[in-house]
Amino acid sequence: MTQSRQSFFIGNEWVKPASERTFMLINASTEEVLGTVPEAVEADIDAAVAAARRALFDGPWAKASPAERAEVMNQFVAALAARGEAIARAVSAQNGMPLMVSGQLEGQFGAGVVQYYAALAASLGQPDVRPSQMGKETLVERSPVGVVAAIVPWNFPVTLALNKIAPAMAAGCTLVIKPSPGTVLDSYILAEAALEAGVPAGVLNWVAADRDVGAYLVSHPGVDKVAFTGSTGAGRMIGRTCGELLRPVTLELGGKSAAILLEDADIGLFLQGVPFAAMLNNGQACYNATRILAPRSRYNDVVDGLAGFAGALKVGDALDPETHIGPMASAAHRDRVEGYIAIGKSEARLVAGGGRPKASNRGWFVEPTIFADVSNTDRIAREEIFGPVLSVIPYDGEDDAVRIANDSDFGLGGSVWSADSAHALNVARRVESGTVGVNGYMPSLGAPFGGIKASGLGREFGPEAIGAYQNTKSIYVMS
């Protein structure tokens, strides 16, 4: 059964598109048509931004106290949680995320993000009074930055949208959300949840568009801030536009993270952690540690362990609860990943995978792939592949491991593995990255997440994220 939609969600209404353009959505596992959705043109963006600006200055949201915003957000949490299974299935059908992953990270975690920021929102608005060296005191006040353009990728379309929506709502902002053309059906479920929850009109608006119309949204005069998750190349273009406009921007971009196995690391424990730390979502996660740094004295054991691990993973339909590795999100992306595998075969030694599963001739599948004898100067070690491909790199001594880990254009994730967690923590402090795990990796809601170098600007998660959606004003009281 197809799941076609005919409208955009703008100002709490289902609005007819300004054109007849549509996106066709395809099941990544079967290549069957899931449905069609409207594709926005500039006039649709104008309508969505206008609705967001009305909500920012007029109506209940403009007048709501932090506690009142928190109450609305908690109602949104309940509506999202009730739709968790539908959200997970929609995401898995569209982008190939295994249901065992989407059920947790899209169906449940996203609602938890909103719940976390609802709790923080309730405590906002308290006066911040600071001593003054030249007068009586200084009052530091914070206000919403305004209308936020939230541009969301296809790999975690729900959670990465809510990572922007939740802190922005807590701050009192309104949003225009642009989902990726390949994952749009889930955004309709979120819109229905917002409507049921009583989120005021214009606070959340969804319009799917291609890159050119997305660029129009980024530069729109009615937008006050941009929040983007996606490729480093697209992030650079958005950053240039926002720099010229002096418009605040948060950029969560690509990665090529390293997992450092120290001499005393428990290889079995590491292999248990690989699904989340290095190959999450079929390898389609920006923080995946796709460079595995192994001590030369234990190199063969690590390579053999990873080869066995990859061979044991079940590759199949993303909607099968037993599937470990689903398909790539699109035919074009599968071709890109396969192109890197071909490069890897000319640079290094293939020890597992490297092709398409032979059991099915449908779907955009790539076998979990492991390369050994990789140099950190190889392309497969330097460029983001964004698929189930790991490169195992030998090192000689701890300093060499840290040097290799830091010899990258990126700095988003990573991990350090050791039987001595205190020792691993000291090594983690030397890794040039916005986030690092010790004997595992999983971002925490309460702590800032983001990258350095080519991995982006700004942070999501934690109370720090709310500040990215606020303007700060100091009022100097002289007497």
Side-chain angles (χ1 to χ4, degrees):
M1 183 178 69
T2 60
Q3 305 173 54
S4 296
R5 301 281 189 151
Q6 289 78 42
S7 305
F8 294 119
F9 186 75
I10 299 174
N12 278 19
E13 296 182 355
W14 299 107
V15 177
K16 182 179 178 180
S19 79
E20 296 185 357
R21 296 183 187 178
T22 60
F23 291 121
M24 181 179 292
L25 299 172
I26 307 295
N27 185 310
S29 297
T30 66
E31 300 184 53
E32 296 172 345
V33 175
L34 289 169
T36 59
V37 295
E39 175 185 351
V41 296
E42 286 82 354
D44 300 305
I45 298 296
D46 291 339
V49 172
R53 295 207 72 78
R54 286 194 297 272
L56 184 68
F57 295 108
D58 300 309
W61 195 249
K63 302 176 180 66
S65 67
E68 289 169 334
R69 292 200 297 267
E71 182 178 352
V72 170
M73 292 175 70
N74 279 320
Q75 293 169 350
F76 191 28
V77 170
L80 289 170
R83 292 165 170 79
E85 182 178 354
I87 289 170
R89 295 188 68 84
V91 171
S92 291
Q94 293 172 103
N95 73 1
M97 183 185 300
L99 196 61
M100 65 169 62
V101 176
S102 65
Q104 297 178 55
L105 298 186
E106 295 286 83
Q108 299 178 26
F109 186 77
V113 172
V114 182
Q115 186 175 40
Y116 172 80
Y117 283 103
L120 291 180
S123 65
L124 297 177
Q126 300 300 316
D128 185 357
V129 182
R130 303 185 187 181
S132 173
Q133 291 73 39
M134 303 298 293
K136 179 183 177 183
E137 60 191 14
T138 299
L139 306 180
V140 180
E141 297 187 348
R142 294 171 177 82
S143 60
V145 73
V147 173
V148 176
I151 302 177
V152 184
W154 47 259
N155 60 327
F156 290 94
V158 173
T159 294
L160 293 177
L162 294 172
N163 286 358
K164 299 161 181 54
I165 291 169
M169 288 182 72
C173 296
T174 60
L175 300 97
V176 176
I177 304 116
K178 189 199 85 64
S180 173
T183 47
V184 185
L185 292 175
D186 46 278
S187 67
Y188 285 91
I189 301 175
L190 299 191
E192 290 164 354
L195 197 58
E196 179 185 289
V199 176
V203 174
L204 302 177
N205 309 273
W206 274 272
V207 281
D210 66 10
R211 180 170 289 191
D212 289 341
V213 176
Y216 178 77
L217 172 62
V218 168
S219 62
H220 198 287
V223 166
D224 300 295
K225 175 188 166 62
V226 176
F228 171 79
T229 300
S231 72
T232 295
R236 290 186 193 280
M237 290 189 287
I238 290 171
R240 279 194 290 270
T241 298
C242 291
E244 178 68 27
L245 295 170
L246 298 179
R247 179 166 294 169
V249 61
T250 300
L251 301 172
E252 201 272 281
L253 308 177
K256 195 69 182 179
S257 304
I260 302 175
L261 277 69
L262 299 181
E263 290 279 357
D264 63 348
D266 182 333
I267 295 176
L269 178 65
F270 167 68
L271 293 175
Q272 291 176 31
V274 166
F276 271 91
M279 211 176 273
L280 183 66
N281 189 19
N282 315 327
Q284 298 172 144
C286 52
Y287 57 68
N288 275 331
T290 55
R291 291 183 297 150
I292 311 301
L293 277 52
R296 202 173 295 276
S297 63
R298 306 187 67 193
Y299 187 76
N300 290 336
D301 291 340
V302 173
V303 169
D304 291 346
L306 283 168
F309 160 81
L313 293 173
K314 179 179 178 180
V315 181
D317 192 310
L319 292 174
D320 181 346
E322 302 301 317
T323 291
H324 299 112
I325 298 291
M328 300 293 93
S330 68
H333 188 59
R334 177 195 58 190
D335 293 346
R336 180 181 185 276
V337 172
E338 289 181 330
Y340 273 107
I341 291 174
I343 291 169
K345 290 176 180 178
S346 69
E347 293 181 326
R349 176 167 58 97
L350 179 69
V351 296
R356 299 181 185 180
K358 297 178 178 59
S360 174
N361 58 5
R362 296 190 307 166
W364 303 312
F365 293 96
V366 175
E367 291 177 326
T369 299
I370 310 295
F371 284 104
D373 302 337
V374 180
S375 167
N376 200 51
T377 60
D378 291 339
R379 284 185 64 186
I380 58 170
R382 303 205 68 81
E383 299 176 19
E384 186 175 40
I385 298 173
F386 223 60
V389 182
L390 303 182
S391 297
V392 192
I393 303 172
Y395 71 81
D396 298 295
E398 202 168 278
D399 290 344
D400 190 41
V402 172
R403 178 193 63 79
I404 293 171
N406 292 341
D407 181 16
S408 174
D409 293 333
F410 300 99
L412 182 57
S415 54
V416 182
W417 303 75
S418 171
D420 183 345
S421 59
H423 182 200
L425 180 59
N426 286 332
V427 175
R429 291 191 170 108
R430 299 172 62 193
V431 176
E432 296 171 355
S433 181
T435 65
V436 186
V438 172
N439 290 328
Y441 185 94
M442 178 51 66
S444 168
L445 259 180
F449 172 85
I452 61 174
K453 298 191 278 188
S455 290
L457 299 170
R459 295 293 183 266
E460 295 185 326
F461 291 166
E464 292 86 353
I466 297 179
Y469 296 94
Q470 293 176 315
N471 287 324
T472 303
K473 178 189 291 185
S474 294
I475 302 175
Y476 310 119
V477 180
M478 306 308 293
S479 62

